[in-house]
Amino acid sequence: MTERPRLAVVGAGPAGLAAALTAAARGVRVLLVDAADQAGGQLYRQPAVGTGPRRPHAPHHRQRTWQRLRTGLERHRAAGRITHLTDHHVWCVAGEYGSAGFTVYALRGPGQEEGVTVRADAVVLATGGYERVLPFPGWTLPGVVTAGGAQAMLKGQLVLPGRTAVVAGTGPLLLPVAAGLAAAGARVAALVESAGPAALARRAPALAAQPGKLAEGAGYAARLLRHGVRTLTRHTVLAAHGAERLEAVTVTALDRTGRPRPGTARRLRCDTLAVGHGLLPHTDLAETLGCALSGTAVRVDAEQRTDVPGVWAAGETTGVGGAALALAEGHIAGHSAAARLYGTVPDPRRWAAADRARTRARAFAAALDVVYAPPSGWADRLPDETVVCRCEEVTAGRVREAAGTLGAGDARTVKLLTRAGMGWCQGRMCGPAVAGLTGCPLDPGRRPFARPVPLGVLAGLPDAG
């Protein structure tokens, strides 16, 4: 009997779970590789083992969907169709030269010191996205966290990042973060959103095509009202203040062009600022494999295939669009991968419903991208002394000097002249800020590794000699 093909799915969020379950149901052996100790990703992040929550489902929504995914995962694991590798941090995926298949390189455990190698016949990349945070004076103070970071603390550890919070930036993530903090007992002084109602109204037809999403947003807004949270639309954070840690933030209203309105600045006292300006796709592994990008996202076809044979991609890595889109893309990727691994032509009728959901979700996401674009002119008002690259402590002034006086015309040259992006995060945090300050396009930098790797692990690879 011919051995069943093996599919490695990297990432156990909505897209990865959908792809893994679908492929497993079609008879493929699935290796589900994920950095977390439990499946679910950020959306379905579960409390850490040992936290003993009284209400374990309180921080989450779409519980029926999560229960269905979890039950399916447990069933396939018990039957031996899915091997779930938790605490495995994938740092590279490489094609095996001279033969079909791929090698997945990972670091195992919280310390990430032990190297693990996994081989598969095909790969689905479901690596999700990461937060975009635009700098401002004081953003490096203790007490300033990303919006997703605050949500992760609440969901994963069941702890509050502080007692009095301001949630600020732009994007639909701010609503559940503010509502979650308020429900958990924090006093949310304000939700500061740079977009305004008029922007939503202009995209009403596209947004109305997803009434469930609008109802979800309305539900969060109602919860904020019940908790007495002020919502300041068309506002932005100018600066964070504090001696040893965050003590207050200054916010201001924005005019129609997205610039601060004179005389509207006010100071809000708080010990936590959860700030975010949307998400960007994680493309490191795809770039290492040589997959083509479309803008900042991995380019895929109607089957979620990349242009590298044997590699599929699904979820936020192909473009940020939320859980519904991730689930639809993962379902399609799983169907396509399973069929092609068995040497058959996929039948699109098997994923017709997922295809319709994907089309609707992509249109909705495109409308949100326009509505929740960062306010214009934010880079112009950033003081020269503001730190932009936290890892290397590079200021906005040094970045401007590289692009202006020194004539750098691309992000790589700015990096060489200033060291912005050479630190631990390899430009993931400061990349958008550097692009905004210099006018250079936000092109993902191709990195050989998706995360730092100990030299001992590299030396221990079979072909390291």
Side-chain angles (χ1 to χ4, degrees):
M1 179 178 177
T2 303
E3 187 178 73
R4 290 183 296 151
R6 294 193 299 178
L7 175 68
V9 178
V10 183
L17 286 171
L21 297 182
T22 302
R26 316 239 87 72
V28 174
R29 288 185 299 162
V30 177
L31 303 169
L32 181 60
V33 190
D34 192 55
D37 60 356
Q38 299 180 76
Q42 172 72 347
L43 181 69
Y44 301 121
R45 183 186 291 271
Q46 300 302 300
V49 176
T51 52
R54 294 181 182 177
R55 298 172 60 204
H57 303 317
H60 301 272
H61 70 298
R62 299 181 183 271
Q63 280 299 315
R64 290 184 179 179
T65 301
W66 163 240
Q67 292 294 343
R68 176 175 58 82
L69 293 171
R70 185 170 66 177
T71 299
L73 177 60
E74 292 173 349
R75 183 176 68 252
H76 285 299
R77 285 180 62 189
R81 291 184 287 266
I82 292 180
T83 301
H84 184 195
L85 304 178
T86 60
D87 272 330
H88 279 62
H89 306 255
V90 177
W91 56 270
C92 183
V93 178
E96 296 184 1
Y97 296 101
S99 63
F102 299 86
T103 302
V104 179
Y105 298 96
L107 301 173
R108 179 163 54 193
Q112 302 180 37
E113 295 291 330
E114 181 183 355
V116 176
T117 300
V118 173
R119 288 183 171 81
D121 301 301
V123 177
V124 175
L125 301 176
T127 49
Y130 62 99
E131 285 190 270
R132 173 171 53 189
V133 179
L134 303 179
F136 49 86
W139 77 302
T140 59
L141 279 170
V144 180
V145 298
T146 65
Q151 188 180 58
M153 292 175 67
L154 185 60
K155 286 183 175 182
Q157 302 298 326
L158 302 179
V159 298
L160 291 170
R163 300 304 306 175
T164 303
V166 170
V167 179
T170 191
L173 178 62
L174 302 187
L175 280 170
V177 170
L181 290 174
R187 186 179 80 82
V188 181
L191 170 60
V192 182
E193 168 61 68
S194 63
L200 287 168
R202 285 192 292 269
R203 298 288 165 175
L207 298 177
Q210 291 278 57
K213 285 285 189 181
L214 295 181
E216 183 181 320
Y220 287 129
R223 291 180 216 173
L224 294 178
L225 281 174
R226 287 199 301 271
H227 288 285
V229 177
R230 287 183 295 173
T231 300
L232 304 176
T233 58
R234 296 207 62 79
H235 278 68
T236 192
V237 171
L238 285 181
H241 313 282
E244 299 297 325
R245 59 166 293 115
L246 180 69
E247 298 171 6
V249 298
T250 295
V251 303
T252 187
L254 300 172
D255 62 21
R256 292 184 178 180
T257 68
R259 299 180 181 276
R261 287 170 48 196
T264 63
R266 70 177 86 174
R267 184 172 289 212
L268 304 176
R269 296 197 64 80
C270 60
D271 58 18
T272 298
L273 171 62
V275 61
H277 298 86
L279 300 174
L280 293 170
H282 256 309
T283 61
D284 291 351
L285 296 178
E287 289 178 77
T288 302
L289 282 162
C291 301
L293 302 185
S294 178
T296 59
V298 179
R299 183 188 304 163
V300 293
D301 65 7
E303 295 181 30
Q304 298 297 136
R305 293 181 298 173
T306 72
D307 61 340
V308 175
V311 180
W312 284 255
E316 312 284 43
T317 191
T318 68
V320 175
L325 178 56
L327 288 168
E329 290 187 351
H331 184 76
I332 294 169
H335 268 296
S336 173
R340 294 192 177 276
L341 281 169
Y342 279 114
T344 63
V345 177
D347 183 358
R349 291 175 297 182
R350 286 185 172 272
W351 64 73
D355 187 28
R356 291 191 295 270
R358 178 176 62 179
T359 299
R360 292 192 301 269
R362 283 181 176 173
F364 187 82
L368 289 185
D369 281 345
V370 177
V371 170
Y372 291 115
S376 60
W378 67 266
D380 297 336
R381 60 177 178 266
L382 194 63
D384 279 345
E385 63 272 16
T386 304
V387 171
V388 170
C389 174
R390 302 176 67 157
C391 299
E392 297 294 326
E393 298 185 346
V394 180
T395 63
R398 286 178 59 194
V399 173
R400 290 187 176 114
E401 180 186 21
T405 307
L406 302 179
D410 57 74
R412 182 176 182 275
T413 305
V414 173
K415 179 179 181 178
L416 293 173
L417 291 172
T418 67
R419 296 190 60 83
M422 289 190 180
W424 183 266
C425 81
Q426 286 293 287
R428 293 172 185 84
M429 288 292 291
C430 66
V434 170
L437 285 165
T438 61
C440 300
L442 181 58
D443 295 327
R446 185 167 181 176
R447 308 175 182 93
F449 304 150
R451 61 178 61 246
V453 184
L455 288 176
V457 171
L458 294 177
L461 295 176
D463 55 354

